[in-house]
Amino acid sequence: RAPPKSAKDAHARFLQAVQHLLCSEVSSAELHEACLAAWQALEPMPMPERSRGRGNTYLLVGPHREALTAALGPGLSSEAVEEVVLAAQELKGWRDKLGGSSSSSSSSSAPPPPPEHQQQQSRPGVGAFKGQITAGERQEQEFGWDLEFVAPDEGVSALQMLGVGGTAALEGVGTGVGRGEPSPEELRALAAQGVQKVGQQQQQQAGGGGGTFSLFAEEEEDLGEEYEEGKRLREINLHWLQRWAERVSGQKGDAAAAVAESAATVLLLEDSADAAATQLLDLMGDGAAEDIMMLMENRKLLREALQTALSKLRAEEEAATQEASMPAYGSQVTITSDSAKLISKLQRKEARKEKAKKGQVASDDVELLSSLGWEAVLDTERDHSSTLVLGDGLEFKVGGDGAISGAKKALPTGTTRKTYKGYEEVHVPAPPRAPPPAPDELVKISELEDWVQLCFQGYKTLNRIQSRIFQTAFTSNENMLVCAPTGAGKTNIAMISVLREVGQNMRYGVIQKADFKIVYVAPMKALAAEVVANFSNRLKPLGLLVRELTGDMQLTKKELAETQMIVTTPEKWDVITRKGGDVSIASLVKLLIIDEVHLLNDDRGPVIETLVARTQRQVEASQNMIRVVGLSATLPNYMDVATFLNVNPTTGLFYFDSSFRPVPLALDFVGVTVNNFAARNNLMTEICYNKVADSLKRGYQAMVFVHSRKDTGKTARTLADLAARNGDLALFDNRDHPMYGFAQKDVKKSRNREVTELFDSGFGIHNAGMLRSDRTLTERLFADGLLKVIVCTATLAWGVNLPAHTVIIKGTQVYDAQKGTFTELGMLDVQQIFGRAGRPQFDTSGEAVIITSHAKLAHYLGMLTSQLPIESQFKSMLVDNLNAEIVLGTVSNVREASAWLSYTYLHTRMSKNPLSYGITYQELATDPSLESHKRTLIVEAAKQLKAAQMAVFDERSGNLYVTELGRVASHYYIRHQSMVTFNSLLKPHMTEAEVLSMVAQSSEFESMMVREEEMPEVEKLSREACPFDVKGGIENKHGKANILLQASVSRARVESFSLVADMMYMATNAPRILRAVFEIALRRKWSSLAETCLTLCKCMEHKLWPDSHPLRQFEHTLSPELLWKLEERGLGLMELEDMSASDIGSAVRHPAAGAQIASCVAAFPRLSMAASLHPITRTVLRVQLTITANFEWRERAHGQVLRW
């Protein structure tokens, strides 16, 4: 039978207590794993005793704390330990009451394991939890972590499966006792032996070694190519031909090369095998007949290998010839025109066709072979790079030539991999610095025009990158793409482009401010605020206004007209350009700067593609130039991005590698292989401490980035405990600093207990939850060297320029409210954090460390070394973006929609990498322009719009027509799946509960997840903060979304970090969705529903219910206690207007607050209206209204409320 509800509540309280104990945000699976470890530690322990003495009693939980520390790691707070111990005792009580025995406790009343443990439990021979796994199984898990073995249900080891004896085989590599664990290389050797034995057994079963098979295997073994580290390559290639020549000639060196070249010449010239064999017999004599027969068997493969090698050499010669005529920027940057490559390719193709008619192709190959020599041809197949193999088998080339193209995943020379117990580490050395610039290479600020110098106050010269792009940026209107590492000065490149546009609109020394707009698209609100602060200060001498336009900062039409430079986010600018009413603003844009273009690979990439495609089509339609400047980190496929941005590769494309970074950066990638949550977390902390201590021993400070506010304090305390345990406190001690005494006085003034406690240990914390004064104090102490280590969140990387020599990212899992789950840290955040590594004025190099799970090691290794080409994500948002273009009027049929699609990055990448987008190479060959595939995509999207009633699609003619629903969805940024939901649920008359339930089912909230550990808090919110019924209950995601919607209006206090993030996401998006539903109701003339939606929308925006006290809108003036007293005593606005200040003070029993409340009443907006009627004719009546504002206007209270 099912356990009673009280037992379930006790179980939920235990989950919640363990979550508080961890002091960090973890996924549900990790939380269940931690609960299991805590339960197994506390289950055998008795109930703690209470202290006896004066004052309050408290639990004696010393032994329990030690057990939990051993299970979950250090840094546990005493309050949280007590909470967990009490919850565990309550859970044990329920187990005993329900008849559970001690022996079955770990499986009956323990917290349910995560899904992977449930799967293990169903398999025979595997324990229910990790604590029950046998020693042999644990050894297999640790030793074979990097080999993908599928073990049977019986207890057979992976090595025995391969035919290798278990104990005997391990003798060669040692066991876990004494010698240590076998390395992955040794395990691979054992696996290879096993495969070889299996192959031999199969060969014997097939009838032994006779016949052709045996001869082929023998010859293949004889001619197998020896590589470094004992690797063999059994391919028929040019190396096979080289070894064949050595065998025929009986010696190596020039003699073998001459034989190989002669054989290659015969193979190229002779089309028939008989003629080639005859020629070779004449050259080498009858004694080589058997060898020539072997050669003839592989003649076709050898000829293809020769033709491939010679084609490669011919292409390299032509590329070298072209490179001499192309612009080259230093020794690191080379730009080649795509059009020149294409023309050259076509010319070669035509020439080969002509030569084929005359039989000259083979003779040309022979001529090239004789001119270059056999060694040059053989060299094309040699691997000039070493290979780095990760534990999961993924290979990366080291020192190869694939660093730019990304195809070979080449890492810099010197990259090393080390394997330790529980983790492996890849070290990427800092690249050598580019040679110092020549004295006349840098552009001097003093040589620029006077009005330009005003924007570069404090600068003497531009840096090397800025100087190289100066001519293009400041003297031309070319579209530009600048790929440069973080910290290379891309902000000044944007400034130069801005000044070019300002100069274009200057008449007789006067800037024509009304003639142009500049739009700077920043990827995040935090970065937008930083850009506004920077550009406002520098453009102020020119009298130019820079304003932010994001979801947090709205601008009136008047302010938009007065602003010359608008800094916005991609989504906000997309919304503005979607609306036809704002065409006047968009038509004035002359310069569009897109920062962090490499985010095309991110979820927000489709918005950037839409903006660029819309801008380019606007340029073609209006014939008014809009310059596009893209700023990006280093990209592997920058040529594709340049094509997408319509950049001329010969004049507008600039690529600078990592050697141009002001401080070269060494990267360390650490992948933890431990699966157990507590063990993995402790190991990550230990690795982090070792990195921090190593940095301090070399005299450098360190920054540790974590991903929640709670985790900053916990990680700092844990690192301090590890320092004390290892005897390294002197490394962190700051008492010998000359400013220590003054700093200590400042720290003691802080009301943040963690700041004061950690200061003496040499640690500081920094997160958005701290007071501004405490954050500023921490930044100043770290800059002055009084704090050796600072543990912070990503807010420090975005908002403050505070560099350190060593930067460490501890863990990469962050909670994403939009997806409703924990996701990996994004590329933009990692690059921004690593941008803090290295101090240009002090350091010659910086160090950045990322500690992640082993499964994500290759992901970050490829991402941060710019090896993986960025792909388009546009297909995921194609339907909604097509609807926006239909509403805007730029697309009216399938043909125009296909043309619009050709302006996107999706079209660029589909032709380069068709398989990733579901296109075969055969389709690409038959339809190079991909017109058929684009038409298919558009037709499918149009059908979905038709099904959602957002567009009218005539399949016969291909015409597309906008509908009212489509217009509403475009203007309010609503997904088409949400419109389908609204179509099915909307009725002319709906209650507030029904409207909220419908909004909660929007696809915008589809990713909302229900977590078991959140259930007690969600249930509490549903009881205390939800005035309307929640349909569907709290166990499903729509019910949770509904509860969070109502709780955000009720301003309920939420403890769980994931719930806080979910609630903020709901509160941000719900008003927009409700406004869209209100518009739909208006257009359908459903007055009752329109009023309900408008009322709920106001509730969401102001976070007030209709029956809340009106003075709650003065929350910054009146305290919550005063507002609560007004509501309790039933003092509404009507009553308060008739009362004096002293009467109000007496009513709330707070005389001093009477005047304050009366002042708010006087400022509350009230209008008085007087109407007069004047008949003009028998059927015409004039109504005259006189509306008078009957309240006190205050800019602070009223200025930002309704901004028309």
Side-chain angles (χ1 to χ4, degrees):
R1 61 186 178 87
K5 186 177 185 301
S6 301
K8 291 182 179 180
D9 292 342
H11 178 266
R13 281 192 289 273
F14 181 72
L15 288 174
Q16 203 168 15
V18 175
Q19 188 177 31
H20 292 162
L21 183 70
L22 295 176
C23 289
S24 61
E25 301 308 319
V26 295
S27 64
S28 296
E30 291 173 336
L31 177 61
H32 282 289
E33 206 170 338
C35 288
L36 178 62
W39 173 258
Q40 291 175 342
L42 295 177
E43 193 271 337
M45 304 190 71
M47 177 71 183
E49 298 180 358
R50 291 191 175 272
S51 65
R52 300 176 183 273
R54 293 178 297 174
N56 297 327
T57 62
Y58 55 90
L59 293 175
L60 298 174
V61 292
H64 301 75
R65 181 187 180 87
E66 292 177 2
L68 287 173
T69 301
L72 299 176
L76 308 178
S77 66
S78 301
E79 297 84 355
V81 169
E82 289 185 13
E83 186 182 358
V84 171
V85 170
L86 291 174
Q89 293 301 323
E90 184 183 7
L91 206 55
K92 281 198 283 186
W94 275 108
R95 180 200 63 193
D96 298 337
K97 187 181 297 184
L98 295 175
S101 63
S102 176
S103 62
S104 62
S105 60
S106 62
S107 61
S108 62
S109 58
E116 62 264 27
H117 292 160
Q118 293 173 358
Q119 294 170 6
Q120 288 179 358
Q121 194 170 1
S122 65
R123 284 166 40 192
V126 182
F129 309 114
K130 292 201 174 182
Q132 299 168 333
I133 295 176
T134 63
E137 289 166 341
R138 186 181 298 111
Q139 183 180 11
E140 177 187 323
Q141 181 189 16
E142 292 173 355
F143 288 175
W145 55 268
D146 60 336
L147 295 176
E148 295 183 0
F149 295 131
V150 181
D153 289 341
E154 297 79 26
V156 182
S157 71
L159 297 178
Q160 290 170 346
M161 265 181 62
L162 291 171
V164 184
T167 55
L170 287 173
E171 288 177 359
V173 296
T175 63
V177 180
R179 181 185 176 275
E181 300 176 359
S183 68
E185 289 78 8
E186 293 167 333
L187 282 173
R188 285 195 193 89
L190 288 172
Q193 294 173 19
V195 173
Q196 189 175 356
K197 286 189 177 183
V198 172
Q200 292 171 358
Q201 292 171 1
Q202 291 175 349
Q203 186 175 339
Q204 292 171 2
Q205 293 170 0
T212 309
F213 176 78
S214 174
L215 177 64
F216 177 74
E218 179 185 351
E219 294 296 339
E220 189 176 44
E221 181 66 27
D222 288 342
L223 296 178
E225 177 185 351
E226 279 288 345
Y227 264 76
E228 299 86 355
E229 302 177 0
K231 292 190 293 184
R232 282 193 178 273
L233 184 65
R234 300 184 180 92
E235 291 183 34
I236 305 300
N237 54 16
L238 301 186
H239 285 84
W240 189 94
L241 181 59
Q242 171 69 17
R243 289 186 297 278
W244 179 88
E246 291 172 358
R247 178 171 173 166
V248 170
S249 63
Q251 53 185 318
K252 297 183 179 182
D254 293 340
V259 171
E261 186 173 345
S262 300
T265 303
V266 172
L267 291 172
L268 289 170
L269 285 174
E270 299 296 340
D271 289 333
S272 76
D274 292 339
T278 304
Q279 285 271 25
L280 290 172
L281 282 172
D282 291 343
L283 286 172
M284 301 174 190
D286 297 338
E290 292 184 3
D291 294 320
I292 293 173
M293 285 179 61
M294 184 193 304
L295 186 69
M296 288 300 102
E297 288 177 3
N298 300 304
R299 170 179 161 275
K300 184 177 180 181
L301 293 174
L302 289 170
R303 187 170 182 175
E304 289 178 357
L306 283 165
Q307 290 171 344
T308 301
L310 291 168
S311 299
K312 189 183 296 185
L313 288 171
R314 189 177 287 108
E316 288 177 359
E317 281 190 347
E318 293 174 355
T321 305
Q322 290 179 5
E323 190 174 325
S325 61
M326 293 295 174
Y329 298 92
S331 59
Q332 300 291 330
V333 184
T334 303
I335 295 176
T336 307
S337 168
D338 259 358
S339 58
K341 286 183 179 179
L342 185 59
I343 293 170
S344 175
K345 185 177 180 180
L346 292 173
Q347 289 174 346
R348 291 198 308 271
K349 192 173 181 181
E350 291 299 322
R352 289 179 70 87
K353 285 182 180 179
E354 292 297 324
K355 290 179 180 180
K357 295 177 183 177
K358 302 176 183 179
Q360 294 180 357
V361 175
S363 60
D364 283 354
D365 286 341
V366 171
E367 183 181 345
L368 183 62
L369 173 63
S370 61
S371 63
L372 295 177
W374 170 249
E375 282 297 328
V377 177
L378 185 65
D379 194 56
T380 60
E381 283 192 354
R382 288 203 178 109
D383 190 358
H384 297 282
S385 64
S386 59
T387 304
L388 183 144
V389 184
L390 298 182
D392 54 5
L394 187 63
E395 292 189 2
F396 284 82
K397 296 288 184 181
V398 178
D401 57 353
I404 299 297
S405 67
K408 294 187 178 180
K409 295 184 180 177
L411 299 174
T413 303
T415 301
T416 58
R417 167 186 175 254
K418 295 181 181 178
T419 305
Y420 302 93
K421 184 175 181 180
Y423 68 97
E424 82 175 303
E425 180 177 346
V426 176
H427 174 73
V428 179
R433 274 192 172 184
D440 57 345
E441 185 179 348
L442 301 182
V443 174
K444 297 179 180 178
I445 302 299
S446 58
E447 297 176 354
L448 303 179
E449 299 178 46
D450 293 341
W451 64 273
V452 175
Q453 295 182 31
L454 295 174
C455 300
F456 288 97
Q457 295 178 8
Y459 290 84
K460 292 184 178 179
T461 63
L462 299 177
N463 69 17
R464 180 167 35 192
I465 292 178
Q466 296 156 8
S467 298
R468 288 183 180 175
I469 63 99
F470 180 77
Q471 287 299 321
T472 303
F474 192 71
T475 63
S476 75
N477 292 323
E478 286 273 356
N479 286 357
M480 289 171 51
L481 173 62
V482 181
C483 301
T486 305
K490 293 193 286 288
T491 304
N492 271 352
I493 295 173
M495 175 60 75
I496 295 169
S497 305
V498 168
L499 294 177
R500 163 67 181 180
E501 192 56 45
V502 173
Q504 290 280 94
N505 291 275
M506 188 177 290
R507 306 286 184 273
Y508 306 106
V510 178
I511 301 173
Q512 308 298 314
K513 298 179 183 178
D515 292 350
F516 70 98
K517 301 281 183 203
I518 298 168
V519 175
Y520 189 110
V521 179
M524 293 179 65
K525 295 176 185 176
L527 193 58
E530 192 177 329
V531 170
V532 168
N534 186 357
F535 278 77
S536 294
N537 185 43
R538 296 176 63 178
L539 293 175
K540 192 175 181 180
L542 300 181
L544 300 179
L545 276 178
V546 182
R547 283 196 173 109
E548 179 183 348
L549 179 60
T550 61
D552 297 337
M553 302 292 293
Q554 302 294 331
L555 297 178
T556 64
K557 287 188 176 180
K558 181 183 177 183
E559 288 173 332
L560 275 174
E562 295 171 347
T563 305
Q564 285 76 47
M565 183 172 177
I566 302 168
V567 182
T568 183
T569 56
E571 291 81 5
K572 191 64 179 180
W573 190 245
D574 186 18
V575 169
I576 288 176
T577 54
R578 280 184 178 194
K579 298 179 180 179
D582 294 320
V583 170
S584 58
I585 299 170
S587 62
L588 287 175
V589 174
K590 304 298 181 185
L591 173 63
L592 177 64
I593 302 172
I594 304 175
D595 201 358
E596 312 293 351
V597 179
H598 54 272
L599 290 182
L600 285 166
N601 200 32
D602 195 65
D603 293 337
R604 307 171 75 190
V607 188
I608 299 176
E609 291 191 49
T610 301
L611 293 181
V612 174
R614 192 174 295 152
T615 301
Q616 291 182 356
R617 297 194 81 203
Q618 180 184 337
V619 170
E620 290 186 0
S622 64
Q623 292 299 304
N624 291 326
M625 190 207 70
I626 300 178
R627 187 184 193 186
V628 179
V629 175
L631 306 176
S632 169
T634 50
L635 292 172
N637 54 334
Y638 55 88
M639 290 297 296
D640 295 339
V641 180
T643 304
F644 162 61
L645 295 177
N646 198 20
V647 171
N648 186 339
T650 59
T651 55
L653 174 60
F654 298 86
Y655 180 91
F656 302 92
D657 62 16
S658 54
S659 65
F660 282 84
R661 196 179 191 273
V663 180
L665 193 62
L667 301 175
D668 284 335
F669 300 86
V670 180
V672 178
T673 59
V674 178
N675 291 324
N676 179 272
F677 164 72
R680 181 174 68 250
N681 202 31
N682 293 339
L683 183 57
M684 281 187 174
T685 305
E686 186 179 343
I687 296 169
C688 177
Y689 172 76
N690 292 334
K691 295 290 183 182
V692 168
D694 179 63
S695 178
L696 296 183
K697 288 174 183 176
R698 290 181 284 131
Y700 300 123
Q701 293 173 293
M703 276 185 185
V704 179
F705 283 86
V706 294
H707 310 300
S708 71
R709 299 175 184 181
K710 291 180 182 177
D711 214 15
T712 55
K714 181 189 174 184
T715 301
R717 289 192 301 272
T718 306
L719 292 176
D721 292 344
L722 286 172
R725 194 183 308 166
N726 294 329
D728 292 335
L729 287 175
L731 281 175
F732 302 85
D733 191 17
N734 52 11
R735 290 181 176 83
D736 56 348
H737 196 282
M739 301 295 291
Y740 176 78
F742 299 102
Q744 193 175 32
K745 292 179 182 178
D746 293 338
V747 170
K748 286 182 178 179
K749 296 176 184 176
S750 171
R751 290 183 293 176
N752 191 317
R753 183 165 54 89
E754 288 184 316
V755 171
T756 55
E757 289 177 355
L758 291 169
F759 172 72
D760 290 333
S761 303
F763 288 88
I765 60 172
H766 190 290
N767 60 64
M770 297 167 58
L771 295 175
R772 177 70 262 183
S773 57
D774 290 335
R775 280 183 282 166
T776 305
L777 174 64
T778 301
E779 293 162 14
R780 180 167 56 84
L781 294 177
F782 187 78
D784 293 341
L786 282 151
L787 293 178
K788 303 292 183 66
V789 181
I790 185 170
V791 183
C792 51
T793 56
T795 52
L796 184 63
W798 285 107
V800 186
N801 185 16
L802 189 67
H805 177 273
T806 304
V807 168
I808 302 169
I809 299 178
K810 177 179 166 283
T812 55
Q813 282 217 328
V814 294
Y815 186 76
D816 186 347
Q818 186 171 353
K819 296 180 179 177
T821 184
F822 283 85
T823 59
E824 293 298 319
L825 196 63
M827 180 181 183
L828 180 63
D829 288 304
V830 175
Q831 287 184 332
Q832 187 71 18
I833 291 171
F834 280 6
R836 295 289 174 259
R839 301 167 299 171
Q841 62 272 37
F842 302 114
D843 299 337
T844 57
S845 67
E847 184 178 357
V849 182
I850 185 166
I851 306 172
T852 183
S853 63
H854 189 265
K856 294 297 177 183
L857 180 61
H859 167 71
Y860 287 106
L861 188 60
M863 182 177 76
L864 290 171
T865 51
S866 301
Q867 305 311 310
L868 304 177
I870 61 172
E871 300 293 347
S872 172
Q873 310 296 324
F874 192 72
K875 284 178 71 174
S876 62
M877 298 295 292
L878 176 59
V879 179
D880 296 319
N881 287 325
L882 175 61
N883 177 61
E885 298 302 319
I886 296 172
V887 172
L888 194 59
T890 57
V891 167
S892 60
N893 52 52
V894 173
R895 181 177 52 80
E896 290 179 355
S898 298
W900 160 71
L901 205 58
S902 64
Y903 288 87
T904 62
Y905 185 62
L906 172 67
H907 176 262
T908 304
R909 286 303 298 167
M910 280 196 305
S911 57
K912 295 291 183 68
N913 189 15
L915 293 179
S916 295
Y917 302 93
I919 306 171
T920 63
Y921 281 105
Q922 289 78 6
E923 290 178 294
L924 184 63
T926 56
D927 184 17
S929 62
L930 295 173
E931 287 299 326
S932 176
H933 187 74
K934 286 188 294 183
R935 182 181 177 83
T936 302
L937 290 177
I938 294 298
V939 169
E940 290 177 357
K943 287 180 179 178
Q944 293 185 55
L945 289 177
K946 181 181 179 180
Q949 301 178 24
M950 294 166 63
V952 177
F953 176 43
D954 184 357
E955 295 189 38
R956 293 182 61 186
S957 64
N959 291 334
L960 292 160
Y961 307 96
V962 67
T963 64
E964 293 295 341
L965 280 180
R967 186 172 280 108
V968 169
S970 174
H971 288 176
Y972 288 96
Y973 229 69
I974 307 296
R975 299 179 186 173
H976 69 281
Q977 299 97 327
S978 296
M979 301 305 289
V980 173
T981 303
F982 297 159
N983 288 335
S984 62
L985 297 177
L986 274 176
K987 298 180 295 186
H989 301 282
M990 296 177 70
T991 63
E992 288 86 348
E994 289 174 331
V995 173
L996 288 172
S997 176
M998 180 185 68
V999 171
Q1001 295 179 50
S1002 302
S1003 65
E1004 280 78 1
F1005 309 135
E1006 191 65 30
S1007 58
M1008 188 76 62
M1009 292 181 64
V1010 179
R1011 301 174 189 82
E1012 189 177 357
E1013 61 270 17
E1014 295 174 349
M1015 294 303 291
E1017 194 167 3
V1018 173
E1019 188 176 3
K1020 181 182 177 183
L1021 290 174
S1022 69
R1023 292 194 312 268
E1024 300 177 358
C1026 296
F1028 302 107
D1029 293 337
V1030 178
K1031 293 189 176 183
I1034 65 173
E1035 279 81 14
N1036 63 68
K1037 56 187 175 184
H1038 302 312
K1040 175 184 173 182
N1042 194 344
I1043 291 169
L1044 292 181
L1045 272 177
Q1046 299 187 50
S1048 67
V1049 179
S1050 301
R1051 308 188 185 199
R1053 182 176 178 83
V1054 179
E1055 295 292 336
S1056 171
F1057 175 78
S1058 57
L1059 272 183
V1060 171
D1062 286 341
M1063 184 185 288
M1064 289 181 62
Y1065 179 70
M1066 299 290 298
T1068 303
N1069 290 279
R1072 170 175 56 85
I1073 298 172
L1074 276 167
R1075 285 281 179 186
V1077 178
F1078 167 69
E1079 289 282 344
I1080 295 172
L1082 270 185
R1083 295 172 193 273
R1084 293 184 178 180
K1085 299 181 180 180
W1086 293 347
S1087 57
S1088 173
L1089 178 60
E1091 183 187 10
T1092 302
C1093 291
L1094 185 59
T1095 302
L1096 286 175
C1097 188
K1098 291 179 180 178
C1099 292
M1100 294 291 170
E1101 290 171 349
H1102 296 284
K1103 290 189 169 44
L1104 289 173
W1105 293 114
D1107 57 353
S1108 301
H1109 200 286
L1111 291 186
R1112 279 198 174 272
Q1113 296 179 67
F1114 292 94
E1115 59 180 347
H1116 298 297
T1117 306
L1118 302 178
S1119 65
E1121 292 78 13
L1122 287 176
L1123 293 168
W1124 179 78
K1125 287 180 179 180
L1126 290 173
E1127 289 177 340
E1128 186 187 35
R1129 289 163 175 75
L1131 297 175
L1133 276 180
M1134 302 292 290
E1135 291 81 4
L1136 292 173
E1137 286 177 5
D1138 298 333
M1139 298 171 65
S1140 64
S1142 58
D1143 292 339
I1144 295 174
S1146 301
V1148 297
R1149 296 183 181 179
H1150 195 316
Q1156 196 177 17
I1157 296 173
S1159 173
C1160 291
V1161 172
F1164 194 87
R1166 290 185 304 279
L1167 301 176
S1168 61
M1169 292 190 297
S1172 61
L1173 305 179
H1174 300 278
I1176 298 177
T1177 66
R1178 184 178 295 177
T1179 57
V1180 178
L1181 181 69
R1182 184 179 71 178
V1183 181
Q1184 186 172 4
L1185 284 177
T1186 304
I1187 303 175
T1188 308
N1190 196 15
F1191 64 96
E1192 296 178 10
W1193 176 271
R1194 294 176 187 168
E1195 183 64 29
R1196 180 183 176 187
H1198 305 100
Q1200 303 294 325
V1201 178
L1202 296 176
R1203 301 177 64 82
W1204 289 310

